[in-house]
Amino acid sequence: MSHDAQGGAGGVLDADEPAWSEEEDDRTAEALRWLREKRKAHRRQKGRDVAVLVYSVVLLGGAYGGGYTVDFLRRIRLGADYSAVGAHVQGALPALFTLLTAALALLAARDALWRGPVVVPAPSVGWLLTHPVRRAVVLRPWFWLSAGVSAATALVAACAAAVVLRVLGLASLGGALLALLPAAVCLPLLAVAAGMAVEHRAGLARFVRRFSPLAVVVLMLLAGQTAAAAYGHRSAVVEQVELWSGPWGWAAQPVVSATGGHAPGRPAAVVLLVLLTAAGLVRGHRDAALVPTAQLRRRAATAQTVSSVMYSAELRAAKLALMDAAADGPGAGRTRRVRLPRPRSKYLVVVWRDLLSLLRTPARPAKALMWLACATAVAALGVQFSGAARVIGLVAALLLGYVAVAALAEPARLETDDVRRAAWSPFRFRTLMLQHAVVPAVLGALLALLAAVPFAAAGEPWALVLMPACAVPFAATAVFSASRGPARLELMFSGVTTPMGDLGPLRFFAWYAAGPLVSVGVLGVVLYGVLRRAPDAGSVAVAAVVAAALTAGLLFFAARAADRLVRPGS
């Protein structure tokens, strides 16, 4: 039996796959030729669909968005001339470039946990790979397709970035394009190669799962450094360490040099980047043929589910599909077996279950803590400004705070994924959902109180009341959003035509994000009024009362929405 009989040109067979001999049983060319013939009409129709999509994007981007783009670039150039925007961007560029490229690497690694560069359609996995064909011939084209699409997208982004650098007066258009070319070509190819390694190796997938929170913390620190550098607080030592810390820094050096920064070793950095990219592509080319069929089958089913539910705007269904894929994927960890004393009162059962759920999945509280840290940093930065900048910072901090508290409300969302699960509860469904707001409200308020301590130490004691007060309506908002029910796609079409088009998508967005829009909007208006002057006891008390009233209103509508889930006619 030949070497390829073990898996088809270096592939690895699953336990349920028969071995075959390449010399006697190879039907690769015949099968692929038959498939090309049978799929000819489908490919032709798919090509038309892609052409229409590209035409629509170009038409909208050129005709509709062209005027806005020109106006945006004109405003940037005026800002660069009169507000030193170019100087701010130049100062922040080393940290900013490192932040963006490191985030790209993390996204590629996380994407490979459920999808990866090699995602074969379900029919091909279920039929083609079960026949005596060489796996490398079937799987490797998908790897190179992912690499080509990523590189093409990066080249378009590089052209846009070059135009921005030219408008800011930091570099000529040709010089900016030439400086961005190594990053635009090598970084997406490296990201695809990294994704291929994670997709193929369970040990590496386990490493990515374990250290993703640490990587997010590093990205948060880079974001803080970027903001500080934009306002003149730079560290030459830290920037040089970043520029030589890996391919994200190597790719940044030509851009830093082209914009007037200090990067004397950029030729060596580019050589290292090219060599690492070539090595990654060679390794990825080999790994592409080694993904087991069972894993390809799971990934194809997950990708098909995610793409189908995205068309119906059911983002929760897409998230559930990703969660299931992460639980069954390579390197998946075990659920922690944590126990808590059982409550003696039935009114504490829901709280007990929610606490137990969070303790057994520590990633949720960790995620809440991470988003709260981001909200605190944004709030600390926003209070230093005035006017529109303060409003933007306040709204961003409130949104991040809502995301933090909503991460603690996952048990409420699990309850509404299938209302039949509530059969265990001795309460009515509306009462059950209201009780799900207790744990995120209490834990969110405690975390917000800890986040307010630095503000109080800096002479702003009002934060000890206002920040925990915001966590309570956010918990009610999360329960209301969980009780929202299936997406109402009929709202996408209003039948009212305006110069901006149909207003249906805006109606659908307003319905879909009603809870966060109301809570963030009301709290933003109230807090801006408090912070506009020196906060006193009266204004802080008014803000707390508004937060309590907002919580009561959101819980009322959450109870009504919960009733509609179990009694659609109500």
Side-chain angles (χ1 to χ4, degrees):
M1 184 178 292
S2 67
H3 171 72
D4 289 344
Q6 302 297 323
V12 177
L13 285 175
D14 296 335
D16 58 345
E17 294 182 9
W20 58 278
S21 171
E22 181 179 355
E23 294 83 1
E24 300 175 1
D25 302 325
D26 186 8
R27 296 293 184 269
T28 304
E30 179 183 350
L32 293 179
R33 185 166 54 252
W34 185 86
L35 279 178
R36 281 194 297 268
E37 184 65 27
K38 292 298 181 181
R39 291 177 174 176
K40 185 180 298 183
H42 172 72
R43 291 179 182 275
R44 188 180 298 114
Q45 182 61 42
K46 191 174 181 179
R48 294 195 190 101
D49 295 341
V50 172
V52 171
L53 177 62
V54 172
Y55 171 76
S56 302
V57 171
V58 172
L59 182 63
L60 290 175
Y64 185 76
Y68 293 101
T69 302
V70 171
D71 182 68
F72 173 72
L73 293 176
R74 183 180 63 83
R75 290 176 180 272
I76 287 181
R77 186 163 68 176
L78 290 176
D81 291 340
Y82 298 104
S83 302
V85 174
H88 293 325
V89 172
Q90 185 183 32
L93 196 55
L96 176 62
F97 206 99
T98 305
L99 170 65
L100 296 177
T101 51
L104 172 66
L106 179 61
L107 288 176
R110 295 293 303 182
D111 174 78
L113 294 177
W114 69 274
R115 194 176 65 95
V118 177
V119 182
V120 184
S124 296
V125 178
W127 180 83
L128 184 59
L129 292 181
T130 60
H131 286 69
V133 297
R134 294 192 300 275
R135 297 171 59 83
V137 178
V138 178
L139 299 181
R140 282 173 178 165
W142 292 98
F143 170 76
W144 289 109
L145 177 63
S146 298
V149 171
S150 300
T153 305
L155 286 173
V156 173
C159 292
V163 172
V164 172
L165 292 178
R166 170 63 185 87
V167 170
L168 291 175
L170 297 177
S172 63
L173 184 61
L177 282 173
L178 188 62
L180 287 164
L181 189 61
V185 174
C186 294
L187 289 180
L189 297 180
L190 268 178
V192 172
M196 188 68 254
V198 174
E199 182 179 1
H200 171 58
R201 293 173 173 81
L204 191 56
R206 191 176 301 110
F207 176 85
V208 171
R209 293 180 192 277
R210 181 173 301 173
F211 289 97
S212 289
L214 180 60
V216 172
V217 172
V218 173
L219 292 179
M220 292 167 54
L221 294 176
L222 281 173
Q225 181 195 352
T226 301
Y231 288 93
H233 304 288
R234 302 177 60 182
S235 172
V237 175
V238 173
E239 290 180 359
Q240 288 301 312
V241 170
E242 291 170 351
L243 293 178
W244 288 103
S245 60
W248 39 79
W250 302 341
Q253 292 196 32
V255 185
V256 172
S257 178
T259 55
H262 182 68
R266 64 186 182 281
V270 172
V271 171
L272 288 174
L273 181 64
V274 172
L275 291 178
L276 183 61
T277 303
L281 290 177
V282 171
R283 184 71 263 181
H285 177 77
R286 294 176 182 175
D287 290 345
L290 304 178
V291 185
T293 302
Q295 184 173 326
L296 289 172
R297 191 177 293 115
R298 288 194 302 268
R299 290 170 179 266
T302 303
Q304 187 175 8
T305 302
V306 171
S307 61
S308 61
V309 298
M310 290 297 288
Y311 283 112
S312 60
E314 290 288 357
L315 302 182
R316 176 64 183 174
K319 182 179 179 180
L320 289 176
L322 296 182
M323 291 170 61
D324 292 340
D328 298 333
R334 297 179 180 178
T335 303
R336 295 178 179 269
R337 305 302 299 176
V338 180
R339 296 184 181 275
L340 287 176
R342 294 185 179 181
R344 296 182 179 181
S345 173
K346 69 176 185 178
Y347 297 101
L348 297 177
V349 171
V350 179
V351 175
W352 173 74
R353 284 169 59 93
D354 289 353
L355 284 175
L356 200 60
S357 174
L358 292 177
L359 290 175
R360 290 182 174 180
T361 53
R364 292 174 191 165
K367 186 183 298 183
L369 190 60
M370 178 194 72
W371 287 115
L372 185 63
C374 293
T376 305
V378 172
L381 185 64
V383 295
Q384 300 179 9
F385 300 104
S386 59
R390 171 171 285 194
V391 173
I392 294 174
L394 180 61
V395 171
L398 288 172
L399 283 174
L400 292 172
Y402 166 72
V403 174
V405 176
L408 301 172
E410 183 65 19
R413 289 187 285 270
L414 292 175
E415 206 79 70
T416 56
D417 289 336
D418 188 352
V419 295
R420 294 173 296 181
R421 295 175 180 170
W424 66 269
S425 172
F427 307 103
R428 297 170 59 188
F429 190 73
R430 62 183 298 167
T431 306
L432 175 65
M433 291 304 298
L434 293 180
Q435 291 183 14
H436 277 303
V438 175
V439 170
V442 174
L443 292 183
L446 291 176
L447 292 176
L449 185 62
L450 292 177
V453 171
F455 290 90
E460 303 290 347
W462 52 264
L464 296 173
V465 176
L466 292 181
M467 293 179 69
C470 292
V472 181
F474 285 158
T477 302
V479 174
F480 170 73
S481 298
S483 306
R484 180 180 53 233
R488 296 178 55 186
L489 294 180
E490 70 273 10
L491 296 176
M492 293 288 289
F493 309 97
S494 65
V496 179
T497 303
T498 69
M500 299 292 292
D502 195 335
L503 297 179
L506 292 178
R507 293 175 60 206
F508 177 79
F509 175 77
W511 171 84
Y512 200 92
L517 286 177
V518 170
S519 59
V520 171
V522 172
L523 291 175
V525 171
V526 173
L527 292 181
Y528 181 74
V530 172
L531 299 178
R532 189 169 51 183
R533 310 179 188 90
D536 54 15
S539 61
V540 171
V542 169
V545 170
V546 171
L550 179 62
T551 302
L554 288 168
L555 289 178
F556 171 77
F557 285 105
R560 292 187 58 184
D563 284 339
R564 285 194 295 268
L565 287 180
V566 293
R567 295 193 300 271
S570 62

